[in-house]
Amino acid sequence: SRRTDTVIHRRVGTNTTAARTESARRDENVLTEETNGRKCLHTLLVERQEQAERSVLISCQSGTSEKKLFKFLSKHGDVEKYFFYESYGMNAVVEFASRDGVASLLETATIPAVNHESLVPFKSRLLSLRNLSSVDANPPSGLQFQPQSTVPTNELIQRLSQEESIDQQIISLTEQYQITDENSRLRFLVCSLLKDVAAAYFPECTIKPFGSSVNGFGKLGCDLDMFLDLDSISGWNVKMPKSGLFTEYQMKRASSERAVTQSVLSVIGECLDHFGPGCVGVQKILNARCPLLRFVHQPSGFQCDLTANNRVAMKSTELLYLYGELDPRVRRLVFTVRCWARAHGITSSIPGAWISNFSLTVMVLFFLQKRNPPIIPTLDQLRDLAGPADKSVIEGNDCTFVSDFTKIQLRRNTEALEHLLYEFFEFYATFPFSRMSVDIRKGKEQNKPEVAPLHIQNPFETALNVSKNVNATQLERFVALCQESSWLLQQNETNTPKGGGAGLGDDAAEVGPHSCFSTHFNGRSKGSDRTDF
Ligand code: CTP
Ligand code: MG
């Protein structure tokens, strides 16, 4: 509540005190809810994976009503949850109370009759709903579709302009952009459907989402990063008996771990391409540092990247998730900075010399570690708090950090979001990029170990630079925009009188945040003709 005090304090005089206090109270509620409802990522993953296993994805082009569909499905088992979304027509995600419901539904599913084509007889939990009775006279009405993508920029700006302060705009932006409960379920369902394909070769495998789909920083419409986990098969973590007889599997040997990954991904890529329902445009990118398969899962609309045994990336996902859970300002600032960057064409959906969202996130985290007092701890501090069960060394990299949130003592920092956003721009507008590297492990800039315009140390694979791809031009653009944006926010701060604001009309208070935010988010240059970012 110290933080709330400051929020109130900052707001006194900028508008009616009562209204500001009310919104500060809302802030506080959000803060307590988020802090109390914390779940560790592992628990969340297990829960979601289990739900996904009991779910099916149905394309419903038949115009059948919600009621009829529900009645039909309920014959097969209790339906725990269902929702609809639009992607090439109407689709339903249906979660049964148990896997028996799925099994019963699949038992009655038929093979489609086709005239001029042939079918690859691979059965999955991706179904189409057909209707032999007369089609309903009235197509389903009043059906609620769950959004799976973000609102267009114009609409976003419109909505944000109705907020009373930049702080509220930042909160509102995060709420509208972040992955919803339904979108998260759909992501796990896609992983589970793909796992069924890979399980044809590796019955014990799992496919886990990582990156922004699960690290708390994902926005609706972001790509789906997954990794094929063969650990239970490859024997990692399996204990050897101390004495006596035992058997071991005879297995083919390969020259390296990388060669194994490449051949596994290669066959699974073939499989997805030839048999995987809904998978289109499968590309095998096997010579990358981290070999992957890239494709589109059409029924969900997700752009998918599938890697194998990518355990370090899973650790960095866990770390980002933890940072995001520690203080609500972390996610809000990251969302805002990412949105700002996209609007200005600093980031792009096309790979290239631009700064990536992951790099930007690490830059925000570093900035928050550098506040006085710091808002989040350094990775070294998190490592020192780790218990024996947290110990993790992956391919020689120390990936140990505390998993128990309650052990982390946060320092009291009560800075408001608007101020932090301004300070973020200031910080990077003047950061000595030519000499120094961003390092969230130490929480302190380090001398650059190599010549790259932008050096951001990979938190776990410390010899790697997360932003190796960024060229000097892109870095210069980023710095210039930070300068411009910090200047704009400063104008806003000066234009919005503080202290003793009695008698100030609403107009003066409105001009500040509204004009400033839309200047920030009405990207010009590359972002100007985009409707989505
Ligand atoms: N990653 C990494 N080092 C990199 C790039 C990525 O360790 N140089 C890991 C991070 O854990 C990252 C994940 O791979 O979160 C996925 O990468 P990417 O899809 O590029 O980033 P996201 O965080 O998923 O963000 P976006 O929303 O842009 O997809
Ligand atoms: Mg991603």
Side-chain angles (χ1 to χ4, degrees), residues 15-133:
N15 206 330
T16 56
T17 315
R20 297 287 170 169
T21 317
E22 172 52 35
S23 99
R25 250 189 236 118
R26 249 186 299 157
D27 268 4
E28 189 183 33
N29 286 340
V30 170
L31 190 73
T32 14
E33 265 168 35
E34 288 180 10
T35 321
N36 294 345
R38 276 193 317 217
K39 258 183 207 167
C40 85
L41 183 60
H42 181 73
T43 315
L44 199 87
L45 292 181
V46 170
E47 204 176 286
R48 286 265 186 253
Q49 268 164 11
E50 197 269 328
Q51 286 167 346
E53 293 283 294
R54 292 185 270 112
S55 303
V56 294
L57 182 47
I58 309 176
S59 151
C60 314
Q61 277 137 0
S62 56
T64 307
S65 74
E66 182 175 351
K67 211 168 126 197
K68 274 192 189 162
L69 175 63
F70 186 74
K71 201 170 146 206
F72 166 73
L73 293 168
S74 300
K75 282 189 210 140
H76 295 281
D78 289 340
V79 174
E80 192 111 316
K81 185 182 164 83
Y82 68 92
F83 66 88
F84 297 98
Y85 69 93
E86 267 182 310
S87 170
Y88 303 96
M90 171 179 151
N91 297 275
V93 170
V94 180
E95 183 191 316
F96 283 97
S98 87
R99 291 174 76 158
D100 298 343
V102 177
S104 163
L105 179 67
L106 295 186
E107 243 168 61
T108 62
T110 62
I111 308 279
V114 289
N115 289 332
H116 305 294
E117 289 166 311
S118 296
L119 295 162
V120 180
F122 184 87
K123 294 179 175 175
S124 78
R125 283 177 286 141
L126 185 61
L127 304 164
S128 301
L129 185 71
R130 300 287 178 222
N131 192 350
L132 288 177
S133 332

Side-chain angles (χ1 to χ4, degrees), residues 492 495-496 506-518:
N492 181 57
N495 287 344
T496 315
D506 277 346
D507 286 349
E510 259 180 39
V511 170
H514 298 182
S515 57
C516 168
F517 223 86
S518 35

Side-chain angles (χ1 to χ4, degrees), residues 210-212 215 222-223 225 313 316-317 320 338 357-358 458 466:
F210 71 98
S212 61
N215 67 15
C222 70
D223 68 354
D225 303 295
S316 72
T317 300
L320 260 50
R338 282 184 171 201
N357 275 332
F358 180 61
N458 186 310
V466 168

Side-chain angles (χ1 to χ4, degrees), residues 272-386:
L272 289 177
D273 196 17
H274 297 293
F275 311 144
C279 300
V280 298
V282 180
Q283 278 175 278
K284 296 182 188 176
I285 309 172
L286 302 178
N287 287 323
R289 188 182 71 78
C290 188
L292 74 138
L293 299 174
R294 180 164 285 172
F295 54 94
V296 171
H297 184 260
Q298 222 162 30
S300 62
F302 293 139
Q303 167 74 53
C304 300
D305 277 352
L306 178 65
T307 56
N309 282 354
N310 199 352
R311 283 184 288 128
V312 183
M314 199 62 212
K315 273 286 164 190
S316 72
T317 300
E318 255 175 68
L319 179 70
L320 260 50
Y321 178 84
L322 180 131
Y323 276 131
E325 287 284 292
L326 287 182
D327 185 302
R329 287 173 293 176
V330 179
R331 282 192 186 135
R332 290 169 182 166
L333 207 60
V334 169
F335 269 97
T336 306
V337 169
R338 282 184 171 201
C339 183
W340 164 85
R342 189 73 171 98
H344 287 286
I346 294 173
T347 51
S348 164
S349 54
I350 312 154
W354 351 101
I355 299 178
S356 69
N357 275 332
F358 180 61
S359 298
L360 272 180
T361 308
V362 178
M363 287 169 97
V364 174
L365 295 177
F366 182 70
F367 159 75
L368 294 173
Q369 292 174 334
K370 295 275 294 177
R371 298 308 298 155
N372 185 17
I375 294 180
I376 50 170
T378 68
L379 180 50
D380 273 348
Q381 288 164 341
L382 293 177
R383 183 203 51 209
D384 295 343
L385 291 171

